[in-house]
């Protein structure tokens, strides 16, 4: 069988039948944005403060959920870059790019599976990331206009549909499962990062990646648009939540749980929630890590958390709060659109900032960490697994001991090598699959 010859750099070819040239060169602003997403996840996973009110609570929750949405947005931008940036590839070049994306997805699935074997409390995003890459292949030939319109529209429709299907799934105990069933349910509906909610973010990212954004003026326009989108989404959610009357359970249902308010510690609260899950699910049900944390999150806003005898729950109900909140991982239209706005603003700010030579020089360690995101992300999972519960109770010190090694290791490694360790493995795997 004749092997396909890979171009030395398919991103440097001139586009045909157009007066524009394809953009080339690494966008260090995206590396800075990736670092922000990774360090935001560090912060969210450590949760340095336990306060539930005031400034400490706001700072504690600030990156929660938004970091994952920024990751999804950057995944879409990466797909656009891998398939031609502002001018999509065609012919053999597009075929090679698609095969490389498939190779990356396979590698991400494998790494996610290995990380899931470790003992840690974190919902691994890499498997979902791989799924987004594969689904994104269906959109690589679309224009920026189509991707942006479709992405924003599906962000509203998809996230609303996800909430409805999640409630139905948990009510009828259609969670867990095996093989293809588990992949479809967890990947699109019940997982921590359900595709119905997060794939629109990826598609919007692909649209951003197809745009002409080489000038500061263009970047500033999108930064302002992102800030406005986030502000409108969060303000609308806050306003609707403020006028939402308190929910009074019907008399024929048991009284609502008050464990969250009465528990003296987070451990006590989760212990109570675990008892509820034990009543809710059949004894033979198998939950993945992502489904477990998605269920824990859904219980705070759905009717399933309002009874102490969930096993005997017979009423399928939807609450307005399920659709209007913007809390992290609620997967509502307001959370998704707000997260997209924040992500766009961060990406544009990073691209503008890195055009300043002094800023780029001072931020080199951070940019280096963002240039090897898979390695840094995976390393922090391993750190959680190796240290037991240290990072869960370490506070700010825990964030420090995750960020500092990344800022030291990344620039030293990239001083000697072109790619991070895991990034190199993905590169070799994707190149091998493209040549097959």
């Amino acid at each position: 069988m004749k092997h396909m010859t890979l171009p030395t750099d398919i991103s440097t070819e001139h586009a045909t039948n157009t007066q524009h040239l394809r953009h080339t060169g690494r966008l260090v602003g995206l590396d800075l944005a990736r670092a922000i997403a990774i360090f935001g996840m560090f912060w969210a996973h450590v949760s340095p403060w336990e306060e539930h009110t005031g400034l400490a609570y706001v700072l504690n929750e600030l990156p929660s959920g938004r970091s994952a949405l920024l990751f999804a947005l950057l995944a879409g931008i990466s797909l656009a870059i891998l398939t031609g940036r502002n001018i999509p590839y065609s012919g053999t070049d597009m075929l090679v790019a698609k095969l490389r994306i498939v190779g990356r997805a396979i590698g991400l699935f494998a790494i996610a599976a290995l990380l899931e074997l470790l003992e840690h409390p974190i919902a691994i995003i890499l498997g979902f990331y791989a799924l987004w890459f594969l689904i994104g292949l269906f959109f690589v030939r679309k224009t920026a206009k189509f991707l942006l319109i479709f992405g924003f529209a599906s962000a509203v429709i998809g996230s609303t549909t996800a909430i409805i299907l999640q409630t139905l799934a948990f009510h009828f105990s259609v969670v867990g499962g095996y093989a293809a069933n588990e992949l479809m349910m967890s990947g699109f509906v019940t997982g921590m990062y359900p595709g119905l909610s997060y794939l629109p973010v990826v598609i919007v990212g692909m649209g951003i990646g197809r745009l002409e954004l080489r000038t500061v003026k263009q970047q500033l326009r999108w930064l302002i648009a992102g800030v406005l989108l986030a502000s409108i989404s969060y303000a609308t959610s806050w306003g609707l939540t403020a006028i939402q009357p308190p929910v009074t359970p019907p008399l024929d249902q048991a009284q609502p749980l008050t464990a969250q308010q009465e528990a003296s510690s987070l451990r006590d609260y989760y212990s109570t929630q675990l008892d509820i899950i034990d009543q809710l699910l059949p004894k033979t049900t198998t939950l993945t890590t992502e489904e477990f944390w998605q269920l824990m999150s859904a219980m705070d806003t759905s009717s399933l958390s309002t009874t102490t005898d969930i096993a005997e729950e017979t009423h399928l109900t939807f609450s307005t709060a399920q659709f209007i909140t913007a809390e992290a991982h609620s997967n509502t239209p307001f959370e998704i659109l707000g997260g997209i706005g924040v992500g766009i603003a961060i990406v544009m700010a990073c691209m503008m900032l890195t055009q300043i030579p002094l800023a780029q020089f001072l931020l080199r360690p951070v940019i280096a960490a963002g240039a090897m995101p898979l390695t840094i992300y995976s390393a922090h999972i391993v750190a959680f697994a190796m240290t037991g519960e240290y990072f869960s109770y370490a506070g700010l010190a825990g964030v420090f001991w995750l960020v500092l090694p990344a800022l030291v290791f990344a620039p030293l490694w990239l001083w000697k090598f072109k790619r991070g360790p895991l990034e190199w493995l993905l590169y070799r795997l994707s190149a091998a699959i493209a040549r097959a």
Side-chain angles (χ1 to χ4, degrees):
M1 175 176 150
K2 186 176 180 180
H3 291 280
M4 184 184 302
T5 302
L6 287 176
T8 56
D9 186 357
I10 60 177
S11 68
T12 60
E13 294 183 359
H14 291 288
T16 57
N17 300 322
T18 179
Q19 60 181 348
H20 299 290
L21 294 178
R22 180 172 291 116
H23 298 172
T24 61
R26 190 173 186 89
L27 299 174
V28 294
L30 296 182
D31 291 333
L32 180 58
R34 291 186 185 98
I36 292 174
I38 294 170
F39 294 158
M41 283 193 165
F42 289 2
W43 186 281
H45 294 160
V46 173
S47 295
W49 291 297
E50 294 185 3
E51 288 81 354
H52 296 284
T53 58
L55 180 60
Y57 172 77
V58 174
L59 293 176
N60 204 44
E61 293 297 314
L62 197 59
S64 185
R66 296 172 185 85
S67 296
L69 289 167
L70 177 56
F71 248 125
L73 189 74
L74 289 166
I77 295 175
S78 296
L79 278 173
I81 291 175
L82 291 169
T83 54
R85 290 199 182 183
N86 57 314
I87 303 174
Y89 293 133
S90 60
T92 302
D93 290 339
M94 179 60 84
L95 176 60
V96 171
K98 286 183 174 181
L99 289 173
R100 282 191 158 180
I101 290 170
V102 171
R104 286 171 181 253
I106 293 173
L108 288 172
F109 274 127
I111 294 172
L114 292 175
L115 294 176
E116 286 285 5
L117 297 176
L118 304 177
E119 293 289 338
H120 56 78
I122 298 171
I124 305 297
I125 197 174
L126 299 181
F128 294 93
Y129 205 98
L131 183 62
W132 303 337
F133 264 36
L134 294 177
I135 301 300
L137 290 175
F138 293 99
F139 298 91
V140 293
R141 296 185 185 275
K142 303 299 182 182
T143 64
K145 182 178 180 180
F146 174 88
L147 292 167
L148 291 171
I149 294 175
F150 184 83
F152 280 114
S154 58
V156 176
I157 299 172
S159 57
T160 302
T161 304
I163 295 172
I164 295 172
L165 293 180
Q166 284 170 8
T167 303
L168 292 172
F170 293 134
H171 178 79
F172 294 107
S173 299
V174 188
V175 291
Y178 300 93
N181 291 335
E182 181 178 357
L183 175 63
M184 295 299 294
M185 285 297 296
S186 179
F188 290 96
V189 181
T190 61
M192 188 68 172
Y193 310 102
L196 286 175
S197 298
Y198 279 77
L199 273 172
V201 186
V202 177
I203 294 171
V204 171
M206 293 178 68
I208 297 293
R210 289 278 187 252
L211 291 173
E212 300 271 355
L213 294 174
R214 289 177 288 185
T215 68
V216 173
K217 184 177 180 180
Q218 293 167 327
Q219 295 162 2
L220 180 60
R221 287 176 179 174
W222 275 95
L223 188 153
I224 294 173
V227 171
L228 288 175
L229 176 60
S231 300
I232 293 172
S233 299
Y234 293 137
T236 304
S237 174
W238 178 85
L240 292 175
T241 303
I243 64 176
Q244 173 71 14
V247 178
T248 302
L251 294 177
D252 62 338
Q253 294 186 20
Q255 294 300 310
L257 293 175
T258 58
Q260 186 173 12
Q261 293 77 25
E262 297 177 353
S264 59
S265 68
L266 192 61
R267 185 189 298 272
D268 293 335
Y269 169 64
Y270 281 134
S271 177
T272 302
Q273 298 291 67
L274 287 171
D275 291 339
I276 296 174
I277 291 177
D278 187 57
Q279 297 178 53
L280 171 63
L281 300 178
K283 301 301 181 183
T284 58
T285 300
T286 301
L287 284 177
T288 65
T289 302
E290 292 82 6
E291 289 169 341
F292 169 77
W293 286 109
Q294 180 65 35
L295 181 56
M296 294 288 276
S297 175
M299 287 170 62
D300 289 332
T301 56
S302 72
S303 61
L304 295 179
S305 64
T306 63
T307 65
T308 55
D309 191 11
I310 294 179
E312 298 178 1
E313 174 69 51
T314 58
H315 302 282
L316 175 62
T317 60
F318 294 91
S319 67
T320 305
Q322 288 177 271
F323 299 91
I324 64 175
T325 182
E327 291 291 326
H329 299 296
S330 59
N331 299 323
T332 65
F334 296 106
E335 190 219 355
I336 300 302
L337 291 176
I340 291 175
V342 171
I344 291 174
I346 290 175
V347 168
M348 296 305 157
C350 290
M351 293 181 68
M352 294 170 62
L353 186 61
T354 51
Q355 292 185 44
I356 304 173
L358 178 60
Q360 187 174 149
F361 174 78
L362 295 175
L363 291 170
R364 285 179 65 184
V366 183
I367 293 172
M372 45 195 296
L374 179 59
T375 297
I376 300 299
Y377 175 86
S378 301
H380 107 279
I381 301 295
V382 175
F384 264 84
M386 292 180 62
T387 56
E389 297 184 345
Y390 168 75
F391 286 107
S392 299
Y393 302 97
L396 287 173
V399 179
F400 176 82
W401 288 116
L402 287 173
V403 172
L404 181 62
L407 295 179
V408 173
F409 172 78
L412 290 177
W413 180 274
L414 293 179
W415 177 69
K416 181 69 174 178
F417 303 99
K418 186 178 180 180
R419 298 178 176 85
L422 294 184
E423 286 75 14
W424 180 82
L425 286 175
L426 278 193
Y427 170 76
R428 297 295 295 178
L429 175 61
S430 64
I433 290 178
R435 289 191 179 96

